[in-house]
Amino acid sequence: MGDMTNSDFYTKNQRNEANHAGDFGCTLEELRSLMELRGTEAVVKIKETYGDTEGLCRRLKTSPIEGLPGTAADLDKRKLIFGKNFIPPKKPKTFLQLVWEALQDVTLIILEIAAIISLGLSFYQPPGEGNEGCATAAAGTEDEGEAEAGWIEGAAILLSVICVVVVTAFNDWSKEKQFRGLQSRIEQEQKFTVVRGGQVIQIPVAEIVVGDIAQVKYGDLLPADGIFIQGNDLKIDESSLTGESDQVRKSVDKDPMLLSGTHVMEGSGRMVVTAVGVNSQTGIIFTLLGAGGEEEEKKDKKAKQQDGAAAMEMQPLKSAEGGDGDDKDKKKANMHKKEKSVLQGKLTKLAVQIGKAGLVMSAITVIILVLYFAIETFVINKKQWLPECTPVYVQYFVKFFIIGVTVLVVAVPEGLPLAVTISLAYSVKKMMKDNNLVRHLDACETMGNATAICSDKTGTLTTNRMTVVQAYVGDVHHKEIPDPEAIPAKTLELLVNAIAVNSAYTTKILPPEREGGLPRQVGNKTECGLLGFVLNLKQDYQPVRNLIPEEKLYKVYTFNSVRKSMSTVIKMSDGSFRMYSKGASEIVLKKCSRILNAAGEPRIFRPRDRDEMVKKVIEPMACDGLRTICIAYRDFSSSPEPDWDNENDILTDLTCICVVGIEDPVRPEVPEAIRKCQRAGITVRMVTGDNINTARAIAIKCGIIHPGEDFLCLEGKEFNRRIRNEKGEIEQERIDKIWPKLRVLARSSPTDKHTLVKGIIDSTQVEQRQVVAVTGDGTNDGPALKKADVGFAMGIAGTDVAKEASDIILTDDNFSSIVKAVMWGRNVYDSISKFLQFQLTVNVVAVIVAFTGACITQDSPLKAVQMLWVNLIMDTFASLALATEPPTESLLLRKPYGRNKPLISRTMMKNILGHAVYQLTLIFTLLFIGEQMFQIDSGRNAPLHSPPSEHYTIIFNTFVMMQLFNEINARKIHGERNVFDGIFRNPIFCTIVLGTFAIQIVIVQFGGKPFSCSPLELDQWMWCIFIGLGELVWGQVIATIPTSRLKFLKEAGRLTEKEEVPEEELNEDVEEIDHAERELRRGQILWFRGLNRIQTQIEVVNTFKSGTSFQGALRRQSSVTSQTQDVTNISSPSHVSLSNALSSPTSTSAAAAGRECIFLMHQIYRDANLLSSHSGLIYIHCP
């Protein structure tokens, strides 16, 4: 099925329609064309064709309330006629394609060309060969043995190139395979709620069929097209399909069309599914995309093949995350948003530096060899350049060229990209075990450089298992759950009804999975806490819900980040209405004018009572770290029916039933994790929508703040007041004054989170650019997650939208997993540094040996094939060995490296040069007096036709032994003494060192001519190993030299500030801001800019009007835990705390504020078109 091409799909469906048209009252074509209509057109069409949505449900043989019967036969039939909810994925790249991509590497191309030339020349016998007069220059250069084995060198080079290519391609292939596995895992995990047989169940997205009744709620990514049949306040972000970022309000009578791939931003409801898979709007777009791409490539292909390819081109619709294919496109699109990751930037720079150095060295080698040859032949021996000698000379020059290329090959660390890939792939695989699902490879390494983490509170720092532990009901503050008898019967009934009706019906409490466990909480956790409170009062919420099913709810004002409350209206039996409301206590209490007393009767509730209550009930609860929720109700008469759209008039004059304190305990492992972060130089900030006192209490419990420290805890309002200038624009200088000390941002809106993250990233106040990680779970966290360097989404509580915007998904929603991510990120960085330290030592030595050898003896002591063995095996194997070191806790004991710390530190430079000195000294000693030490023939001036000499074999063998032992030294890069520390925790490393040793024995003893090796005696072997062991001793000597003394050592691979952001990125940054702001609900931003200021001013004015003394206004501050900062606590309009900046008040300022208010009101009404969709946002009380 997965491989079925699109055209087959189509024709098959057409055929099926003919057969089954009688079974259902509408065909696939009809539904497809219906879904292409929008707004009123669609409403008219539904009316004309089906009568209403119920008519459509009848034709599709489904019930709006009961859903489909869910029998297997019915479901299969629907899949057959209307298709499956599945879009066949793009074909992965074949292994050969990956091989071809790996071959595009420049160094490899140079090598291939050199090898082919070398091969060609080895088979080419120039005519001047016998001409004695041509060349006597380089005696040892061309002998018969070399001539016979001449092809070996070229072949060996080609073979090594093939090895490198195959390894790289295999790496890419396994990476792609991993991504696909990840993709399918994510897809299987993504479930959606549907109603079948009257039961609400969750099924995998691929199982959804046409006719299903799906329940949509805030944060969902719609998996199929459908028509809205019932719901409240549903707002959809259709920008993924239309490009319009305004949210679209959906209603049965105005715009009922819900499209796949769009995001639910607010509200909830039900829809009947009308199109799935390739026939849904997203599916159609994918089809077009695929077909378009194919046509451009191969216009001559037949239509059918084109169509088939189109189906292949499509990405799985049901995936919450784009897989590899998607990611690449996304990355291209987002190229200007994310800079190169720190490591990539530094590596690119380093590779260029090394490449330049290698080129210079190889060029000098070639030039010296050519000059040497020319001077000796034409000047000293006074030879003429004869035409018949030209081919011979050319052959010499090609030989020199090959020696030059060999030097270059050894100089360029082509193992570097391999090491990075291996290290990242290994880390990503291991991070899965640590509950980090990495979506973008580079996020893993960026995380190692993180300097700040902005974390949510609920669910990340806390367990997200809400329980009511205190309640204020009937004028009594109960410090634990009260006895049901202690509550008046009237109040109890109201309370149970208010909680049962005014919460999502999808939220429920199920019995524990195993004996003695805790009851399972399903749905919104705060509501679960309230339902648990009902059960603890020995009552039951289900009978109430059965009496008032969801369809009978008259009007619902769903919770959103602006309202901070939720209200539900029901129609009573006598025709009147009752509204139940619940929400953040300080917000709902402001709207209460009565409260139920000890007898269950309403009594008047004045602002002064409210202040009393805030002081005596709410603040003590909040200081215990409890979240306070107020539950209230209001009765309306049946005539005239209230104007439900006028939210301001509806949501006032409430009667408070009770205030509860909900505990969400801090996860036991969080304080330790935060302590680790702080020790590692990472600042943790808490950004939450909760009350400031609750937030502060939790922050103290977690260890984010410590009493007595100099820090800031701000509310969103105060934060905005401080960072905006008189015009209401955000100023970076103002943010710079706040963020370094800010630890808690409470009552914050999603916009505030985005502003804070952006402000920290753009700050130039500290010399290191801050690298910010953000955690988020809600739809509204999307922009902040996208803006951050690394976005963490919650795997359990996170919405699809948040996951889509993130880089890493925390599969257990736990803060301590973030610390693991930091550890892995730093480990990647260190692994690359270890590899570099080892690799560069090999390179420096090999280059200098080849260079001097070639210049002095006209023949490199290390032959090309030996060099390639050292190069390839040391590169590939060492990258495997050093890149798979597991992380240790000690990684968290140092500060982040930051963007401008060089990749190769002074200590590493000291190690590289120190070991190079040791190796060069010994190799040159062996080269020039080795024959005397071992009493063997010298290999330097070996006669013609001589087999490989023991002398040069000893040099080669010693060289390899030194590298092997230096590999152990390279495990530590910060100058630690114990290089064996934790070596057995890395089996790969041990295997590779022993494996390389074994292969070396085989090469030396049996390599013979191809490897230019002669078998060695045991005592010679012992000497080689002894010299190698000297590396470990020498390592200790180097570690003793203090790095601080070696001022002359240069560092390499540094990223300077200028190079970080190219010009075009700077221009695009402006665009990006606008885009992000647009994403953040254009209308609301305009409102908030104005309203935040107005509210503050009006509240000031009210303070003057009510004559409250300034002492009264500033009274709040004394209760704030001893801090130097002024934390704004605005609990009511008549009760404002002003920051110290405010000079003494005068009545003129009050009048001015009044005038400004009226002027602003006037402006606001002038923009009435803006108002229509955001009318619920005005709370203005003008004086």
Side-chain angles (χ1 to χ4, degrees):
M1 167 72 210
D3 297 337
M4 183 187 280
T5 61
N6 210 18
S7 53
D8 296 351
F9 216 96
Y10 231 71
T11 46
K12 190 165 172 193
N13 280 332
Q14 299 286 359
R15 272 205 311 282
N16 289 338
E17 271 172 36
N19 305 348
H20 297 285
D23 294 358
F24 294 103
C26 39
T27 63
L28 178 66
E29 270 307 304
E30 261 176 45
L31 290 174
R32 255 180 81 142
S33 55
L34 172 65
M35 289 320 292
E36 277 159 16
L37 303 174
R38 301 280 176 273
T40 39
E41 282 184 358
V43 179
V44 171
K45 174 83 175 157
I46 292 172
K47 262 210 174 76
E48 284 174 2
T49 322
Y50 309 106
D52 56 4
T53 46
E54 281 193 12
L56 175 64
C57 290
R58 278 197 297 279
R59 295 247 194 129
L60 286 172
K61 300 194 173 164
T62 180
S63 146
I65 293 160
E66 299 283 312
L68 292 176
T71 59
D74 179 50
L75 295 177
D76 291 343
K77 188 164 148 194
R78 285 172 192 274
K79 281 182 189 165
L80 195 68
I81 296 176
F82 298 112
K84 292 186 179 178
N85 196 21
F86 172 75
I87 296 180
K90 209 177 196 167
K91 255 188 186 153
K93 281 186 180 156
T94 60
F95 189 69
L96 287 175
Q97 280 171 310
L98 293 169
V99 167
W100 176 244
E101 275 175 23
L103 277 170
Q104 312 296 310
D105 188 20
V106 184
T107 26
L108 289 181
I109 292 172
I110 295 176
L111 263 182
E112 286 154 25
I113 293 169
I116 290 165
I117 292 175
S118 161
L119 265 177
L121 285 171
S122 68
F123 294 123
Y124 169 61
Q125 298 294 329
E129 188 79 29
N131 193 333
E132 299 295 301
C134 284
T136 53
T141 315
E142 182 64 77
D143 58 45
E144 242 170 69
E146 284 258 296
E148 286 168 19
W151 63 272
I152 292 182
E153 192 173 343
I157 296 178
L158 280 181
L159 190 72
S160 62
V161 167
I162 289 168
C163 281
V164 172
V165 166
V166 169
V167 169
T168 317
F170 180 75
N171 254 339
D172 289 347
W173 179 77
S174 59
K175 195 171 76 187
E176 179 121 340
K177 191 163 155 245
Q178 223 173 342
F179 266 122
R180 294 204 170 252
L182 197 73
Q183 177 80 356
S184 60
R185 185 186 148 176
I186 291 166
E187 283 164 10
Q188 283 152 12
E189 279 179 5
Q190 203 201 350
K191 292 194 159 54
F192 209 78
T193 314
V194 297
V195 182
R196 283 191 183 169
Q199 294 295 313
V200 177
I201 55 167
Q202 287 209 320
I203 58 168
V205 166
E207 295 297 312
I208 293 178
V209 294
V210 171
D212 257 324
I213 303 295
Q215 291 201 340
V216 295
K217 61 180 185 313
Y218 160 82
D220 281 344
L221 178 83
L222 298 182
D225 292 353
I227 290 176
F228 186 50
I229 48 178
Q230 173 263 320
N232 330 295
D233 238 6
L234 193 68
K235 286 188 188 159
I236 306 280
D237 172 10
E238 294 188 347
S239 57
S240 55
L241 283 180
T242 60
E244 291 294 317
S245 61
D246 288 339
Q247 287 167 29
V248 186
R249 198 187 205 111
K250 297 290 177 184
S251 62
V252 181
D253 48 357
K254 291 199 179 75
D255 182 5
M257 311 310 270
L258 300 177
L259 307 173
S260 58
T262 58
H263 296 134
V264 182
M265 301 308 272
E266 220 177 279
S268 61
R270 287 183 175 194
M271 70 168 188
V272 56
V273 177
T274 53
V276 293
V278 215
N279 302 306
S280 66
Q281 292 302 301
T282 313
I284 293 169
I285 289 175
F286 270 128
T287 315
L288 292 175
L289 272 182
E294 289 298 313
E295 273 162 26
E296 311 240 326
E297 279 176 46
K298 314 192 185 70
K299 289 195 170 150
D300 53 335
K301 286 262 179 182
K302 294 194 190 88
K304 184 166 178 183
Q305 280 167 318
Q306 237 175 44
D307 248 71
M312 290 308 179
E313 283 293 311
M314 288 184 279
Q315 279 297 335
L317 166 70
K318 52 189 176 172
S319 80
E321 276 69 15
D324 203 20
D326 261 28
D327 275 6
K328 282 196 183 132
D329 301 338
K330 257 189 223 143
K331 275 221 182 111
K332 272 182 207 149
N334 283 347
M335 225 33 177
H336 63 276
K337 289 218 185 154
K338 295 240 176 181
E339 304 161 24
K340 251 193 195 164
S341 82
V342 184
L343 188 65
Q344 282 170 339
K346 290 180 181 177
L347 279 176
T348 315
K349 190 130 195 268
L350 190 71
V352 170
Q353 288 172 346
I354 294 174
K356 281 181 188 162
L359 257 174
V360 171
M361 285 296 269
S362 60
I364 293 174
T365 313
V366 174
I367 291 166
I368 288 181
L369 285 171
V370 171
L371 283 176
Y372 196 99
F373 172 76
I375 289 169
E376 194 173 17
T377 312
F378 303 124
V379 179
I380 298 174
N381 298 343
K382 298 192 168 54
K383 290 266 164 81
Q384 294 296 308
W385 180 300
L386 301 169
E388 64 268 24
C389 290
T390 307
V392 182
Y393 295 146
V394 168
Q395 198 169 4
Y396 278 121
F397 293 148
V398 166
K399 250 201 160 16
F400 301 149
F401 174 65
I402 283 181
I403 292 179
V405 170
T406 313
V407 172
L408 176 66
V409 169
V410 177
V412 175
E414 65 271 27
L416 207 52
L418 191 62
V420 179
T421 312
I422 290 178
S423 187
L424 284 174
Y426 173 77
S427 302
V428 168
K429 207 168 188 164
K430 289 280 187 221
M431 282 169 82
M432 283 288 285
K433 292 198 178 99
D434 282 338
N435 305 310
N436 282 290
L437 196 150
V438 181
R439 293 186 58 224
H440 299 141
L441 265 185
D442 51 355
C444 156
E445 158 261 315
T446 309
M447 202 49 218
N449 285 302
T451 53
I453 298 175
C454 296
S455 172
D456 273 358
K457 176 178 77 71
T458 311
T460 316
L461 300 173
T462 60
T463 56
N464 204 8
R465 196 184 163 82
M466 310 273 185
T467 36
V468 173
V469 288
Q470 295 186 21
Y472 178 86
V473 55
D475 287 343
V476 186
H477 184 177
H478 300 273
K479 290 289 170 113
E480 51 222 22
I481 301 281
D483 199 36
E485 277 76 61
I487 302 176
K490 262 189 195 163
T491 309
L492 190 59
E493 190 195 352
L494 268 171
L495 180 61
V496 174
N497 281 338
I499 292 175
V501 173
N502 187 29
S503 54
Y505 278 32
T506 46
T507 304
K508 37 186 176 293
I509 292 190
L510 303 175
E513 281 178 332
R514 53 179 181 276
E515 281 296 305
L518 292 166
R520 281 182 299 150
Q521 298 188 338
V522 180
N524 180 310
K525 297 298 191 250
T526 310
E527 292 179 349
C528 285
L530 292 169
L531 292 175
F533 179 49
V534 170
L535 298 177
N536 289 340
L537 290 171
K538 317 268 187 299
Q539 308 293 312
D540 191 3
Y541 61 86
Q542 202 49 53
V544 181
R545 286 185 171 180
N546 295 344
L547 200 68
I548 311 173
E550 207 170 353
E551 300 78 58
K552 286 199 181 161
L553 300 180
Y554 197 78
K555 170 88 181 148
V556 179
Y557 300 95
T558 51
F559 181 89
N560 63 27
S561 52
V562 180
R563 288 194 188 111
K564 293 237 186 283
S565 68
M566 170 180 177
S567 311
T568 304
V569 182
I570 56 171
K571 200 166 189 173
M572 310 295 277
S573 47
D574 60 359
S576 64
F577 300 98
R578 172 169 289 171
M579 178 178 75
Y580 293 115
S581 219
K582 69 164 190 287
S585 53
E586 60 264 49
I587 289 172
V588 177
L589 279 177
K590 273 185 196 168
K591 301 174 181 170
C592 288
S593 55
R594 293 180 199 73
I595 187 167
L596 295 181
N597 62 13
E601 297 301 329
R603 67 172 168 83
I604 214 83
F605 184 64
R606 289 183 295 272
R608 133 166 126 250
D609 303 330
R610 177 165 57 228
D611 299 345
E612 186 84 352
M613 185 154 168
V614 166
K615 207 153 94 213
K616 297 231 173 109
V617 179
I618 291 174
E619 283 194 3
M621 280 187 186
C623 292
D624 291 343
L626 303 182
R627 191 179 211 173
T628 55
I629 301 278
C630 175
I631 299 169
Y633 77 102
R634 178 182 175 186
D635 286 329
F636 298 92
S637 65
S638 52
S639 59
E641 186 174 326
D643 172 13
W644 299 113
D645 289 334
N646 185 351
E647 227 175 289
N648 287 348
D649 289 356
I650 301 289
L651 292 177
T652 51
D653 198 23
L654 305 176
T655 305
C656 169
I657 304 172
C658 76
V659 172
V660 294
I662 297 184
E663 181 183 50
D664 182 8
V666 171
R667 287 176 182 264
E669 62 277 10
V670 161
E672 175 56 22
I674 286 180
R675 208 164 42 251
K676 281 181 188 166
C677 281
Q678 289 163 341
R679 216 175 34 220
I682 301 169
T683 313
V684 182
R685 296 182 172 84
M686 184 205 287
V687 184
T688 173
D690 241 336
N691 170 319
I692 187 144
N693 294 326
T694 311
R696 189 183 303 115
I698 299 275
I700 291 171
K701 280 184 191 169
C702 292
I704 291 178
I705 54 182
H706 304 284
E709 278 184 358
D710 181 19
F711 57 80
L712 272 172
C713 293
L714 294 179
E715 282 197 321
K717 264 186 193 166
E718 171 67 4
F719 173 70
N720 271 306
R721 192 182 65 70
R722 290 190 182 195
I723 63 170
R724 293 175 189 274
N725 59 17
E726 296 67 54
K727 294 180 187 156
E729 295 157 348
I730 298 172
E731 286 188 357
Q732 186 62 42
E733 301 84 74
R734 291 178 183 234
I735 298 183
D736 283 347
K737 285 191 190 123
I738 292 176
W739 73 258
K741 285 184 181 176
L742 182 71
R743 291 293 175 275
V744 176
L745 184 58
R747 283 275 176 257
S748 71
S749 68
T751 326
D752 297 339
K753 194 173 191 175
H754 180 266
T755 307
L756 176 65
V757 172
K758 187 176 180 320
I760 297 178
I761 289 179
D762 294 350
S763 172
T764 48
Q765 202 187 16
V766 278
E767 74 276 9
Q768 295 280 12
R769 152 154 156 19
Q770 295 281 304
V771 178
V772 184
V774 171
T775 69
D777 53 5
T779 303
N780 45 21
D781 291 330
L785 287 170
K786 263 205 159 54
K787 179 69 196 164
D789 294 288
V790 182
F792 285 91
M794 301 296 138
I796 304 168
T799 58
D800 298 340
V801 184
K803 289 179 186 171
E804 188 74 50
S806 69
D807 300 298
I808 298 180
I809 296 172
L810 295 177
T811 50
D812 62 346
D813 288 15
N814 192 336
F815 187 84
S816 59
S817 302
I818 298 178
V819 181
K820 295 257 178 56
V822 172
M823 230 156 77
W824 276 108
R826 292 186 173 190
N827 191 52
V828 167
Y829 199 97
D830 276 10
S831 297
I832 303 300
S833 296
K834 289 171 188 174
F835 171 69
L836 269 175
Q837 178 176 304
F838 171 70
Q839 166 84 51
L840 292 181
T841 314
V842 181
N843 286 5
V844 168
V845 176
V847 167
I848 292 177
V849 168
F851 174 68
T852 31
C855 296
I856 295 169
T857 62
Q858 284 236 306
D859 185 15
S860 168
L862 296 172
K863 298 283 181 284
V865 178
Q866 294 176 351
M867 291 268 231
L868 283 164
W869 152 247
V870 170
N871 200 35
L872 175 88
I873 304 303
M874 292 296 178
D875 268 12
T876 312
F877 279 12
S879 60
L880 252 178
L882 292 168
T884 54
E885 288 270 319
T888 58
E889 290 283 331
S890 60
L891 287 169
L892 294 174
L893 297 176
R894 60 170 175 77
K895 300 272 178 279
Y897 282 143
R899 292 184 92 83
N900 11 358
K901 179 169 184 310
L903 201 54
I904 298 175
S905 61
R906 278 227 171 94
T907 315
M908 285 167 62
M909 209 47 137
K910 176 184 78 175
N911 291 344
I912 291 171
L913 295 179
H915 288 295
V917 167
Y918 173 83
Q919 296 184 9
L920 287 170
T921 313
L922 280 161
I923 285 178
F924 284 132
T925 309
L926 287 174
L927 181 59
F928 293 112
I929 55 169
E931 70 272 23
Q932 291 145 33
M933 291 161 61
F934 289 106
Q935 275 106 41
I936 48 175
D937 298 333
S938 163
R940 281 197 307 283
N941 311 324
L944 294 177
H945 319 305
S946 62
S949 66
E950 281 183 358
H951 184 186
Y952 273 20
T953 307
I954 290 178
I955 294 177
F956 167 56
N957 199 23
T958 310
F959 180 64
V960 172
M961 287 303 129
M962 289 195 288
Q963 300 323 325
L964 269 184
F965 287 102
N966 192 28
E967 195 163 346
I968 299 174
N969 278 330
R971 292 184 65 246
K972 301 290 173 215
I973 49 173
H974 298 299
E976 296 93 332
R977 289 246 174 226
N978 181 5
V979 289
F980 291 101
D981 176 36
I983 195 164
F984 295 114
R985 282 221 318 279
N986 186 358
I988 301 182
F989 184 87
C990 304
T991 319
I992 282 176
V993 170
L994 296 171
T996 313
F997 186 64
I999 297 175
Q1000 180 64 18
I1001 294 176
V1002 173
I1003 286 179
V1004 170
Q1005 299 304 95
F1006 310 106
K1009 198 126 204 190
F1011 280 98
S1012 319
C1013 283
S1014 146
L1016 297 182
E1017 305 293 323
L1018 187 64
D1019 60 330
Q1020 293 168 334
W1021 264 101
M1022 290 335 267
W1023 273 106
C1024 293
I1025 292 172
F1026 174 71
I1027 294 174
L1029 275 166
E1031 268 287 3
L1032 294 174
V1033 183
W1034 183 248
Q1036 296 301 316
V1037 176
I1038 295 178
T1040 319
I1041 306 170
T1043 314
S1044 50
R1045 293 282 174 84
L1046 306 171
K1047 289 275 187 282
F1048 61 88
L1049 284 182
K1050 278 273 186 283
E1051 302 151 323
R1054 174 198 286 278
L1055 258 189
T1056 51
E1057 287 297 327
K1058 281 194 203 80
E1059 285 157 22
E1060 222 175 281
V1061 188
E1063 302 279 271
E1064 68 265 19
E1065 287 189 18
L1066 284 171
N1067 305 341
E1068 274 164 337
D1069 208 41
V1070 184
E1071 233 167 75
E1072 179 199 339
I1073 299 166
D1074 296 345
H1075 180 66
E1077 299 253 294
R1078 262 218 320 280
E1079 281 180 13
L1080 279 167
R1081 317 165 164 198
R1082 228 176 330 193
Q1084 293 184 12
I1085 283 203
L1086 290 171
W1087 272 112
F1088 272 75
R1089 285 197 182 139
L1091 289 184
N1092 271 333
R1093 254 170 51 239
I1094 300 172
Q1095 267 182 333
T1096 317
Q1097 285 165 343
I1098 292 167
E1099 286 169 337
V1100 175
V1101 175
N1102 281 351
T1103 311
F1104 304 147
K1105 276 175 61 183
S1106 60
T1108 318
S1109 68
F1110 251 93
Q1111 282 70 29
L1114 291 168
R1115 185 168 63 199
R1116 296 278 10 88
Q1117 255 160 262
S1118 55
S1119 70
V1120 170
T1121 46
S1122 60
Q1123 289 171 18
T1124 50
Q1125 278 62 27
D1126 39 349
V1127 177
T1128 316
N1129 260 313
I1130 298 183
S1131 29
S1132 71
S1134 65
H1135 183 102
V1136 180
S1137 85
L1138 298 168
S1139 97
N1140 314 339
L1142 241 162
S1143 54
S1144 63
T1146 57
S1147 53
T1148 51
S1149 67
R1155 277 200 302 278
E1156 188 176 351
C1157 173
I1158 288 161
F1159 165 68
L1160 272 159
M1161 292 284 290
H1162 181 71
Q1163 265 193 318
I1164 287 167
Y1165 280 110
R1166 213 179 49 213
D1167 296 342
N1169 58 343
L1170 244 176
L1171 265 173
S1172 57
S1173 59
H1174 302 287
S1175 54
L1177 302 172
I1178 318 175
Y1179 308 110
I1180 299 191
H1181 318 288
C1182 265

